[in-house]
Amino acid sequence: MTEVVVVKNKAQASRIVSDLLVKSILKNPKLVLGLATGSTPLEVYKMLASSVKKQGIDVSGVRGFALDEYVALPKGHHESYHFVINSTVVQPIGLTPENAHVPSGDASTIQRAGAEYEELIKASGGVDVQILGIGTDGHIGFNEPGSSLASRTRIKTLTEQTRLNNAQFFSSIDEVPSHAITQGIGTILEARHLVLMAFGSAKAKAVANTLEGPVCAFCPASALQLHPHATVFVDQDAATELQNIDYYKWSYENKPSWQEL
Ligand code: PGA
C-alpha cells in the first residue's frame, strides 16, 4: 500500500526526503532522480544541496529527469522548467548539467518530443526515486483530471484552475501557457519509488481522493494506489480529510527499524 506519513510541517518532511536522497545517492552514485517543479519540493532541494556540500558527496554521476515543461515558453524564461530545474536543482546541488533532462516544449518538435523523452528515461535505466507534488485537482506532473492512467509523455492542455494556481509565478494569467508536455501516469508509475508531498489545506481534498478514493482518471494521483512502493508526506492541514489518519500515524510511529521508507 501507499505509506502515509503525517508530519508536523514541510520542514520535517523535507528533511526526511532529503536524507532519503542522500542515502540513496551514497548507495548508488548513478541514481536517477525524478524531479518535480512547483513550490512543494524546493526545501528538499535546498536541504539536499546543503548536505551534499557539507558531506562532500560526489553527485557527478547522478541523473535527473523533470516531469514536465510548458509548451512554447522560451527555455530562458524564468518560469520555463529548463530554467527552474537549472536554478533550483542543477546549480545548487552541483549536478552535471548534461545529466539533467527536461522534456522539450519547443512547439516545432512537440509531436516527437514525448517519445524521445521516454527513450531517454529508458536508456538511463529508469527513475529510481520520483519526487512528486500534487495539484489541488489531483494532478501529478501536468496530468490533469481525465488523463489516462496508462498515458506516456505527451502534450496536455492545462485546466483553468492550474493556470490560475500558476499565475502567481507569472505577471498575469494571460502569460501562463495553455499547454504543457508531461510524463504520463504510465511513465510515472514505472519509477521504482514514488515520493509525493502535499502541504496546506488547499491540498486536503486532492490528498483524500488520492489515498482513499477510487483509482480513477478524474484524480490522476490516485494511480499511486497501483504502485508497489509509494510514500506520501502530508502536513496536518493536508491530512484533514483523511478517514484513516489514526492508522497512518500509528503505523509510522510503530514502524519496525527493519522496514525502510
Ligand atoms: P505546488 O504545485 O508544488 O506549487 O503546490 C504542485 C502541482 O501543481 O503539481
Side-chain angles (χ1 to χ4, degrees):
M1 68 168 251
T2 301
E3 180 174 23
V4 184
V5 185
V6 184
V7 289
K8 278 203 299 279
N9 50 37
K10 187 186 210 175
Q12 189 190 4
S14 303
R15 172 51 59 206
I16 300 171
V17 175
S18 169
D19 287 350
L20 168 76
L21 296 181
V22 166
K23 208 167 132 193
S24 307
I25 294 169
L26 289 174
K27 214 156 93 193
N28 174 12
K30 296 190 81 177
L31 192 81
V32 181
L33 260 178
L35 301 165
T37 48
S39 51
T40 303
L42 290 177
E43 213 161 320
V44 170
Y45 301 147
K46 277 192 193 138
M47 287 180 179
L48 179 60
S50 146
S51 297
V52 163
K53 286 212 174 81
K54 264 196 221 137
Q55 299 177 42
I57 300 166
D58 178 11
V59 291
S60 60
V62 172
R63 279 85 47 85
F65 285 91
L67 282 170
D68 43 19
E69 174 59 293
Y70 290 112
V71 171
L73 197 63
K75 278 185 187 174
H77 189 285
H78 61 87
E79 276 312 312
S80 93
Y81 290 167
H82 278 80
F83 189 95
V84 171
I85 288 290
N86 188 52
S87 58
T88 63
V89 178
V90 178
Q91 295 303 331
I93 298 172
L95 299 189
T96 308
E98 301 75 56
N99 287 349
H101 307 279
V102 180
S104 171
D106 186 334
S108 65
T109 52
I110 201 72
Q111 297 301 344
R112 59 170 199 269
E116 286 174 2
Y117 201 61
E118 292 277 336
E119 279 305 311
L120 217 53
I121 296 174
K122 202 166 146 200
S124 77
V127 172
D128 292 303
V129 185
Q130 174 66 58
I131 306 293
L132 295 166
I134 183 170
T136 53
D137 58 4
H139 72 220
I140 46 175
F142 271 134
N143 293 284
E144 300 286 31
S147 291
S148 159
L149 300 184
S151 51
R152 311 302 305 189
T153 306
R154 74 233 181 275
I155 192 166
K156 279 300 291 184
T157 306
L158 301 182
T159 61
E160 190 65 6
Q161 187 60 56
T162 296
R163 293 183 67 241
L164 270 171
N165 292 348
N166 289 7
Q168 56 176 312
F169 305 113
F170 292 80
S171 21
S172 79
I173 185 161
D174 301 331
E175 275 192 27
V176 184
S178 52
H179 290 79
I181 177 167
T182 180
Q183 285 188 35
I185 298 295
T187 319
I188 293 170
L189 286 179
E190 282 172 8
R192 287 181 265 278
H193 184 189
L194 303 181
V195 176
L196 186 146
M197 292 178 289
F199 310 114
S201 54
K203 303 286 174 77
K205 183 111 197 106
V207 164
N209 287 340
T210 295
L211 296 168
E212 297 177 345
V215 175
C216 66
F218 197 62
C219 177
S222 65
L224 259 71
Q225 294 176 38
L226 300 169
H227 197 281
H229 190 188
T231 313
V232 173
F233 291 89
V234 283
D235 64 4
Q236 298 288 341
D237 288 343
T240 48
E241 296 200 28
L242 291 173
Q243 297 173 43
N244 242 357
I245 185 160
D246 293 340
Y247 174 67
Y248 307 138
K249 285 184 172 169
W250 194 92
S251 304
Y252 190 67
E253 280 156 17
N254 294 281
K255 193 168 162 142
S257 55
W258 46 261
Q259 200 176 27
E260 294 190 341
L261 252 191

